[in-house]
Amino acid sequence: MALSDLKIRKAKQKDKPYRISDGLGLSLQVRPTGSKLWHFRYQFMGKEKILSIGQYPIVSLADARAKRDDAKRLLADGQDPSVQKKLDAIDAHVKARMTFKEVADEYYDNLVDRGLADATLRKKRWHIDDLAKPLHSRPIDQITAAELLHLLKPIERSGRRETAKKLRATISAVFRLAMVTMRAPADPSAALKDALLPPKVKGRAAITDQAEFGQLLRRLDEYTGWPVIPAAMKFQILTCTRPGEARGARMHEFDLEARTWTIPPERMKMRREHKIPLSRQAYEIALENWSEIGGVELLFPSLQSNRKLLSENAFNTVLRRLGYSGQEVTAHGFRVTASTILNSREHNPDIIEAVLAHQDTNAIRRTYNRTTYWDQRVDLMQVWADLCDQFRSEPSNLTQQ
């Protein structure tokens, strides 16, 4: 006789376990402790087996019958329900271990192997370890777009729109890796592209007025702190490089006879070698800071150790001590200064872009520019250095060239 919920609830425990049959192999075992367990008895390959289905009332009578029917369908297909249950448990365990953090760490290791810049790696590590922490233990194939939006929106509302955008990009890259390695069916972050507000575009703070820039150069000449820092800043200005590229300048990168400085790909933002012709002024700064001490590689070493780089904030700290706020000028803004002034004087924009090592999206033009503009770049770098000397003089002496 088939069971009912009333009959199950009235079944009392005895000194020994006993079973109440529901039919078609399904039965309920009542234990001396009072617990009630569902069992399905079946024959497979001539042997009698028992499949545990779960405990009542967590598994209801209807659920137990459904699980029995599922098991009977497996038997009809020639499969052992007990074996399939173990395989399902293993699969669930494996999937539970395929967390966002595990895939994200694998993604990060790939970036390291590709040789990305240290600054980029630090930012990705921050995205993964700190900002995406709520996702760490989540199985990656179970994360939803709504869950990601819940993570990103508070960051956006705090005013960090650019951070929210870049974090979404990092998360998307992690999901793409999960997809190609069969650990996630799709990238839920793709649905969020239009759900986030666009970042407020803010250019690098820079001085573009010639007289004001000349005043900054004069103040830099008068700086009384550790002399290596203003020397490195002047070298950065004259070579139109990024602060990190100037701070990391190593003596083996220089050919003093040819008066060139070649920055290797691993230290460039675009990951390609950049060869810079040194103006007379830049060459003199390099000579003044050249060290013959064995083991010293850096042209502009830290005060703490001649084997350590100047800190990332060294240049901007000097600018603040000179009286400039972060809204007026930053070390990154010196490239904007050079580009603006040189363009205003109608120098060839392609040569200016080559000087700044900007990536031309046209591969043919990019190759042409790198091979053809060397002589023009040599001339322009000297023009720029001479202009800086001119700006450094009194404003009344400034003339357009």
Side-chain angles (χ1 to χ4, degrees):
M1 185 176 178
L3 290 172
S4 66
D5 280 314
L6 179 60
K7 188 174 181 179
I8 293 171
R9 286 197 299 271
K10 285 185 174 181
K12 303 297 183 182
Q13 66 262 43
K14 298 180 181 179
D15 293 340
K16 294 183 179 181
Y18 69 96
R19 287 189 175 87
I20 309 172
S21 177
D22 183 58
L24 301 177
L26 181 64
S27 64
L28 185 72
Q29 184 189 67
V30 183
R31 295 187 170 181
T33 59
S35 62
K36 300 169 182 178
L37 305 176
W38 292 109
H39 288 158
F40 171 60
R41 288 177 175 271
Y42 65 96
Q43 291 276 337
F44 187 79
M45 302 288 288
K47 293 183 179 180
E48 183 177 276
K49 292 193 170 187
I50 297 177
L51 176 68
S52 295
I53 291 179
Q55 183 174 336
Y56 180 89
I58 297 173
V59 177
S60 68
L61 174 59
D63 290 340
R65 288 170 175 169
K67 289 178 181 291
R68 174 198 60 195
D69 294 342
D70 290 341
K72 291 177 76 68
R73 278 189 285 272
L74 288 173
L75 287 168
D77 291 337
Q79 299 180 58
D80 185 343
S82 294
V83 172
Q84 188 60 45
K85 181 181 178 181
K86 290 179 182 177
L87 293 176
D88 290 343
I90 293 171
D91 184 56
H93 178 68
V94 170
K95 286 184 176 179
R97 291 180 62 240
M98 292 192 307
T99 62
F100 177 87
K101 182 63 161 59
E102 289 179 336
V103 182
D105 285 343
E106 185 178 327
Y107 160 72
Y108 179 82
D109 290 341
N110 289 344
L111 298 183
V112 173
D113 291 341
R114 285 166 51 192
L116 266 66
D118 288 343
T120 301
L121 292 175
R122 284 196 298 272
K123 189 162 289 186
K124 293 294 183 182
R125 194 79 266 176
W126 176 54
H127 286 169
I128 293 168
D129 288 352
D130 297 330
L131 300 185
K133 192 171 183 179
L135 303 175
H136 282 186
S137 60
R138 296 278 290 121
I140 195 162
D141 62 343
Q142 295 179 20
I143 296 173
T144 65
E147 189 174 353
L148 296 179
L149 187 63
H150 183 74
L151 173 72
L152 295 168
K153 272 297 182 181
I155 297 173
E156 178 189 87
R157 284 194 293 268
S158 71
R160 296 175 294 165
R161 293 186 185 181
E162 182 69 21
T163 299
K165 174 188 173 184
K166 290 184 176 179
L167 175 58
R168 190 207 70 82
T170 298
I171 290 172
S172 180
V174 173
F175 270 100
R176 290 197 300 273
L177 175 60
M179 289 168 62
V180 299
T181 54
M182 306 298 289
R183 286 176 283 184
D187 173 13
S189 71
L192 305 181
K193 229 170 186 180
D194 297 326
L196 297 174
L197 296 173
K200 295 178 180 178
V201 179
K202 184 179 180 181
R204 302 285 190 184
I207 293 175
T208 55
D209 178 82
Q210 295 174 174
E212 291 180 9
F213 185 55
Q215 185 180 45
L216 184 150
L217 293 174
R218 290 193 297 275
R219 289 181 179 178
L220 198 56
D221 286 340
E222 296 165 359
Y223 182 72
T224 57
W226 175 241
V228 168
I229 302 179
M233 293 176 68
K234 292 174 189 176
F235 188 76
Q236 182 212 337
I237 292 169
L238 293 172
T239 55
C240 299
T241 51
R242 298 174 180 85
E245 294 160 2
R247 289 187 301 105
R250 287 164 171 78
M251 288 185 285
H252 71 263
E253 297 170 353
F254 290 82
D255 183 337
L256 293 181
E257 185 175 346
R259 296 197 175 192
T260 60
W261 173 32
T262 303
I263 308 176
E266 61 269 19
R267 292 211 305 107
M268 291 295 296
K269 180 178 180 180
M270 303 308 297
R271 319 312 288 169
R272 73 173 190 271
E273 180 181 281
H274 182 46
K275 187 175 182 180
I276 302 170
L278 297 178
S279 63
R280 172 180 54 80
Q281 294 89 332
Y283 174 74
E284 289 174 356
I285 291 176
L287 285 183
E288 289 170 2
N289 289 271
W290 203 264
S291 174
E292 300 297 339
I293 300 174
V296 176
E297 295 183 355
L298 294 168
L299 187 64
F300 305 109
S302 166
L303 174 62
Q304 284 75 25
S305 170
N306 56 21
R307 289 175 172 79
K308 288 185 178 180
L309 271 68
L310 292 168
S311 73
E312 290 186 16
N313 295 321
F315 290 2
N316 286 331
T317 298
V318 169
L319 290 172
R320 304 302 159 256
R321 289 176 179 172
L322 294 178
Y324 295 97
S325 71
Q327 286 69 47
E328 291 176 292
V329 63
T330 66
H332 274 95
F334 290 144
R335 287 160 54 83
V336 177
T337 301
S339 177
T340 302
I341 293 176
L342 290 174
N343 274 291
S344 71
R345 290 171 173 259
E346 299 184 351
H347 289 282
N348 187 325
D350 287 338
I351 301 174
I352 296 172
E353 292 298 287
V355 163
L356 296 171
H358 283 164
Q359 179 83 35
D360 195 316
T361 55
N362 185 303
I364 296 176
R365 274 173 51 88
R366 181 166 66 245
T367 303
Y368 179 82
N369 290 353
R370 290 183 67 191
T371 56
T372 306
Y373 288 149
W374 176 255
D375 291 340
Q376 294 96 322
R377 285 173 57 202
V378 170
D379 293 339
L380 187 59
M381 294 303 284
Q382 189 58 56
V383 167
W384 171 240
D386 291 341
L387 281 173
C388 288
D389 283 347
Q390 182 180 342
F391 301 154
R392 187 180 277 105
S393 65
E394 291 301 320
S396 59
N397 293 333
L398 292 176
T399 59
Q400 293 285 328
Q401 290 187 355

